[in-house]
Amino acid sequence: MIRIDEETKIARLDTPSTSYCLGLADGRYLGLLYYGRRLGTELPGDLAELGRLLKPHDTQPTPLENPGQKLTFMNSYPFELPTWGGGNFHEAALDVRTEAGQNGLEMIYDGCRVFEGKKALPGLPASFGGSCQTLEIDLVDPGLSLRAVLSYTVFSDTDVITRSMTVKNEGTAPVTLTRALSASLMLEDRDFEVLTLGGSWARERRIMPQKLTYGGYVNESLRGESGHQSQPFLCLMTAGTTQKSGEVYCMHLVYSGCFLGKVQIDDQGMAAATIGIHPENYEWRLDPGEAFTTPEAVLTYSAEGLGKMSRTLHDFYRCHLIRSPYLHKDRPVLINNWEATYFDFDSDKLLSIADAAAAAGIEMLVMDDGWFGRRNADTSSLGDWQVNTQKIAGGLGHFAGEVNRRGLRLGLWIEPEMVSPDSDLFRAHPDWALQRVHNEPAQGRHQLVLDLANPAVVAFLRETLDGILSSANIEYIKWDMNRALTDYGSPYLPADRQKELAHRYVLGLYALQDHLVSSFPDLLLENCSGGGARFDPGMLYFSPQIWTSDDMDPVERLAIIEGTALLYPLSTMGAHVSKNRNDVTGRTTAFADRAVMAMLGTFGYELDITTLTADELAQIPGQIARHKAVAGLIREGDYYRLASWRENGDYDLVEVAAKDGSRAVAFLFEVLGRPNMRSRVLRFEGLKENSRYEVTADGRSLGAFSGAGLMYAGLALARKRGDFRATFLEIRECSE
Ligand code: DGJ
């Protein structure tokens, strides 16, 4: 709920358990009074009290009181929109270059309004729906006739506040935005630590907590995508924060391109955090009458540690961001041929996989990279999206028919954003690839990036996608992207708009994915980027699942799952049972243990099923049945991170509990066998104290226990012998 005190203009935004309060100094400067636990007091008197917090120093005058001391005020005031050049030396969220070639501006309050609901953001993915209210605050630089509309939405069912900004040129001269970030949070530093996710290919989204010291911390991507190395996410937490306790402030950006997240600890004891489009290599020319809208930032505060933050974000993304019709449906159990065959396949080979898969109860075959052009290695053919009939005899339509005849659905891999220098497309349109006039563009995986800022390229890709999907019964698309962007030069854009390229590329990508899911509403889309380099809220808006990592080794996956699930629901994480020995790590693990770990996600297989042993083959129907029995719970339930191998060096324990506490499922992974140790005691969460629950481990009953017993005393479980051992636990409410 949003309330504004008419007299003081103090605004209070309440979610079920948080409050966010804004106020004005001198009736001009918009600042953050408070963000945290929900305030119990009512308007208006209490807010006048709060207003005192706006004065950075009790003894220091505001600019109105003493214009001669304005600079001190500007440097220490908690601006909601820090701007460049006026004495606020924190990372600015807004800056322009004027016609006179000068930078900097000062934004003054110019009114606000509250309305029910929420506006869509033009060309950008953004949250939607439910019961929500929006506060729009106008700030203007009168000298420039530049208006910034700050938009805050509060949702009645979740502790999230979303923010974005629209900048409008209301003057008569063009201006150039040189930075436009989505949200800033200027908080009093409480010895915060910062937490973000980082990693690399096959090691994505590792949890990385760090001490914050004077100066600060930067988390960024300049790769044109969110990247293996970074996540558009920052969280500040009080020292000693755990899953269950501590205060946490989180900022997560609904964006898939270059971003900057930064926290500065300053000389005044302030922690100034900001997130948005990376100002490096960014500009946007605004002609008179034009506007620019930033991506949306998702803010949440938890007074109950990281676990509450994760559950808030999971619910928010499930209820307000993912729009796929598959969101609340079981996903097909698929088998993907990538690690089974790499490029070395033809339709006979794939149909032999399909035969064995159908017999085992698998529901979909996904044909990965290599079905088109002359693609027998990664050195050619991206862009030539015609089926290679030497490999896929009879073409896509015929192949789909053969797969369907076996009772399987067909899915297809594609990498639309890329072009191989060795392709007919590149030979016909060399100017469609990103390149600078003065350099040979860098190839990555022997490929170049198409210029999605060029509408002709986007139109070509739209037609390509339409053509492929209309030619055969294809029910799933894996949309891949296998290299970062470099050589930021667009042969299409004029010289003074080259710095718009990185963002225009992302807008082109969003337009394509929007077209795809709107034109083929029943399509299941899975985004992917050389493993998990574009696992971000922007892509989630289009696809309900994203390929998490090329690393399917269950041990490596522990850290990847922990980091990804810190922010994202398990149902968004593409997860497959891979072959033995693992191609990435070279590690050998048991088929059954790999299958248990793949249930913490969408569940599928990625191996040559025709080479499995009879014993392994025989396990598949049971694995699928187990997955199906808990898929709904895993998709919709509450996630609890009960133990972390990263922290304890021994084991991982993850639980998903039904929201009504009637059921739970837990996944235990013991990394290395240890001799001569007591039984492990597992303590669960999210159950009803006074109910009784039947507990099974790997299908074997362990007896019935009270909810209180399971949550507080715990369940003693003998350790398994051997290394890399998974245990699947089910907890069901029973009558006695
Ligand atoms: C990278 C993906 O992550 C893999 O799963 C596979 O699709 C390859 N690309 C194909 O080139």
Side-chain angles (χ1 to χ4, degrees):
M1 184 201 259
I2 299 173
R3 288 172 293 176
I4 297 170
D5 179 45
E6 276 315 312
E7 203 180 315
T8 58
K9 292 285 179 245
I10 288 174
R12 174 168 160 183
L13 290 70
D14 288 331
T15 70
S17 49
T18 72
S19 292
Y20 190 101
C21 297
L22 297 167
L24 293 172
D26 287 351
R28 293 161 72 91
Y29 303 109
L30 182 70
L32 178 66
L33 274 76
Y34 172 78
Y35 186 26
R37 228 180 257 269
R38 182 162 171 159
L39 298 172
T41 50
E42 291 303 317
L43 283 168
D46 57 311
L47 286 187
E49 272 296 298
L50 271 178
R52 285 192 323 183
L53 293 173
L54 273 179
K55 266 201 163 184
H57 299 275
D58 268 355
T59 51
Q60 215 126 63
T62 64
L64 209 61
E65 290 161 354
N66 186 350
Q69 288 295 354
K70 180 173 173 181
L71 185 50
T72 317
F73 170 86
M74 297 302 275
N75 187 38
S76 48
Y77 184 73
F79 281 99
E80 271 296 273
L81 180 63
T83 53
W84 165 246
N88 187 299
F89 296 105
H90 301 100
E91 187 74 26
L94 181 65
D95 189 18
V96 294
R97 189 173 59 248
T98 67
E99 228 193 354
Q102 299 176 334
N103 277 76
L105 71 173
E106 183 170 308
M107 300 303 281
I108 308 295
Y109 177 77
D110 191 42
C112 68
R113 62 216 149 260
V114 175
F115 55 87
E116 296 299 316
K118 179 174 193 294
K119 294 178 185 166
L121 304 187
L124 289 165
S127 60
F128 52 78
S131 131
C132 59
Q133 275 187 324
T134 300
L135 165 66
E136 284 184 348
I137 302 177
D138 284 349
L139 304 175
V140 291
D141 182 310
L144 285 176
S145 298
L146 196 80
R147 181 175 299 273
V149 182
L150 306 189
S151 175
Y152 300 80
T153 299
V154 297
F155 299 80
S156 62
D157 62 349
T158 169
D159 284 322
V160 161
I161 297 175
T162 59
R163 282 192 60 176
S164 65
M165 171 172 71
T166 297
V167 187
K168 298 178 186 170
N169 181 357
E170 297 180 341
T172 50
V175 291
T176 300
L177 295 181
T178 55
R179 54 173 66 220
L181 281 82
S182 300
S184 302
L185 266 185
M186 293 216 182
L187 302 164
E188 174 202 356
D189 181 26
R190 279 180 281 144
D191 220 2
F192 284 128
E193 290 174 7
V194 63
L195 183 147
T196 189
L197 305 175
S200 191
W201 175 78
R203 289 186 279 110
E204 294 91 339
R205 287 174 298 287
R206 295 282 202 272
I207 291 184
M208 296 189 174
Q210 318 198 17
K211 273 260 163 242
L212 260 182
T213 51
Y214 183 78
Y217 175 82
V218 167
N219 167 34
E220 65 187 349
S221 166
L222 287 165
R223 297 166 191 264
E225 57 176 352
S226 37
H228 295 103
Q229 293 76 5
S230 50
Q231 174 68 205
F233 157 74
L234 268 184
C235 121
L236 299 181
M237 43 188 202
T238 47
T241 289
T242 66
Q243 283 291 314
K244 286 182 168 180
S245 67
E247 289 186 74
V248 180
Y249 293 89
C250 152
M251 302 170 98
H252 203 189
L253 191 67
V254 185
Y255 194 57
S256 312
C258 302
F259 72 89
L260 173 68
K262 185 166 176 179
V263 198
Q264 289 163 290
I265 304 295
D266 73 6
D267 59 315
Q268 303 286 310
M270 189 137 70
T274 193
I275 200 161
I277 293 179
H278 208 304
E280 176 80 34
N281 196 34
Y282 162 88
E283 283 188 2
W284 200 274
R285 197 178 82 202
L286 281 184
D287 286 332
E290 287 185 345
F292 178 86
T293 299
T294 70
E296 179 166 273
V298 172
L299 271 50
T300 186
Y301 164 82
S302 160
E304 295 156 51
L306 289 166
K308 166 91 188 309
M309 177 196 80
S310 298
R311 288 186 288 282
T312 299
L313 291 175
H314 293 190
D315 283 344
F316 182 70
Y317 292 142
R318 286 187 290 214
C319 298
H320 298 286
L321 186 71
I322 303 171
R323 57 181 190 159
S324 165
Y326 282 88
L327 174 60
H328 297 297
K329 285 192 196 151
D330 280 1
R331 318 288 160 78
V333 175
L334 60 81
I335 185 158
N336 176 302
N337 73 301
W338 178 242
E339 285 210 353
T341 64
Y342 295 107
F343 294 104
D344 184 16
F345 65 87
D346 59 15
S347 38
D348 285 347
K349 175 67 198 168
L350 295 186
L351 291 174
S352 72
I353 290 179
D355 282 330
I362 292 170
E363 297 162 320
M364 176 181 274
L365 173 75
V366 175
M367 178 159 66
D368 211 280
D369 193 354
W371 56 268
F372 53 92
R374 288 171 293 102
R375 181 93 166 160
N376 295 314
D378 61 11
T379 47
S380 86
S381 300
L382 293 173
D384 297 345
W385 298 109
Q386 293 77 35
V387 63
N388 178 344
T389 47
Q390 282 175 351
K391 286 171 103 171
I392 306 301
L396 277 183
H398 176 74
F399 182 64
E402 287 299 311
V403 172
N404 292 163
R405 208 163 56 75
R406 288 163 168 80
L408 295 185
R409 300 156 76 184
L410 178 65
L412 195 68
W413 175 98
I414 186 166
E415 191 176 2
E417 298 157 72
M418 299 291 154
V419 64
S420 307
D422 180 9
S423 67
D424 293 341
L425 183 72
F426 186 71
R427 282 182 280 272
H429 299 285
D431 58 329
W432 279 11
L434 295 187
Q435 55 201 279
R436 289 174 301 210
V437 178
H438 54 282
N439 286 131
E440 187 67 20
Q443 294 183 27
R445 209 192 189 207
H446 312 281
Q447 62 199 54
L448 298 173
V449 184
L450 286 173
D451 179 6
L452 298 196
N454 181 345
V457 174
V458 174
F460 162 79
L461 292 175
R462 215 171 23 229
E463 280 160 31
T464 301
L465 291 165
D466 289 352
I468 292 170
L469 281 160
S470 311
S471 72
N473 185 22
I474 295 159
E475 300 183 63
Y476 157 109
I477 285 282
K478 176 179 174 187
W479 180 306
D480 205 348
M481 190 243 195
N482 279 298
R483 57 158 291 177
L485 272 60
T486 57
D487 304 280
Y488 286 97
S490 162
Y492 167 77
L493 291 173
D496 66 345
R497 287 196 182 272
Q498 287 293 321
K499 284 197 166 186
E500 298 178 12
L501 173 56
H503 183 57
R504 283 189 186 273
Y505 181 93
V506 179
L507 293 180
L509 166 70
Y510 289 154
L512 277 171
Q513 295 224 338
D514 193 55
H515 170 80
L516 182 64
V517 296
S518 317
S519 308
F520 301 93
D522 296 329
L523 184 76
L524 173 57
L525 177 62
E526 176 158 346
N527 270 296
C528 167
S529 179
R534 213 159 50 184
F535 206 121
D536 58 59
M539 301 318 284
L540 216 50
Y541 179 74
F542 302 101
S543 63
Q545 58 196 61
I546 300 177
W547 185 228
T548 315
S549 175
D550 281 342
D551 196 337
M552 290 171 268
D553 174 298
V555 182
E556 283 296 311
R557 274 269 165 154
L558 297 179
I560 297 170
I561 292 169
E562 183 185 15
T564 311
L566 183 76
L567 308 179
Y568 299 98
L570 295 173
S571 62
T572 63
M573 292 160 53
H576 298 168
V577 186
S578 65
K579 67 182 179 203
N580 222 13
R581 132 192 336 261
N582 184 279
D583 271 353
V584 173
T585 59
R587 188 178 284 124
T588 299
T589 53
F591 190 57
D593 296 323
R594 268 175 279 143
V596 170
M597 294 316 290
M599 284 178 208
L600 278 165
T602 56
F603 195 72
Y605 294 83
E606 188 162 334
L607 38 70
D608 187 348
I609 192 171
T610 64
T611 63
L612 290 183
T613 64
D615 173 53
E616 288 169 334
L617 259 186
Q619 292 181 44
I620 294 181
Q623 293 169 351
I624 294 176
R626 181 170 283 169
H627 153 73
K628 287 202 176 280
V630 297
L633 174 60
I634 289 175
R635 202 175 55 233
E636 317 284 345
D638 282 339
Y639 166 85
Y640 294 95
R641 162 63 52 177
L642 301 179
S644 159
W645 176 47
R646 176 179 59 88
E647 289 173 349
N648 62 32
D650 186 12
Y651 71 108
D652 251 25
L653 181 61
V654 170
E655 179 193 348
V656 182
K659 289 200 176 284
D660 66 1
S662 63
R663 262 180 96 187
V665 61
F667 297 81
L668 169 68
F669 196 90
E670 298 171 285
V671 179
L672 292 179
R674 285 184 168 175
N676 190 25
M677 296 282 284
R678 301 181 68 217
S679 288
R680 206 182 284 286
V681 179
L682 312 179
R683 291 186 182 80
F684 302 97
E685 291 190 46
L687 305 176
K688 294 182 271 189
E689 286 183 352
N690 297 322
S691 285
R692 284 191 79 67
Y693 294 88
E694 157 99 34
V695 180
T696 61
D698 299 326
R700 190 172 47 86
S701 175
L702 301 180
F705 307 85
S706 74
L710 288 171
M711 291 194 289
Y712 311 137
L715 176 82
L717 194 68
R719 291 162 190 255
K720 281 188 174 169
R721 286 174 63 78
D723 297 337
F724 323 131
R725 302 302 314 277
T727 304
F728 173 81
L729 293 133
E730 271 192 280
I731 303 170
R732 279 176 189 276
E733 199 173 9
C734 56
S735 42
E736 40 132 312

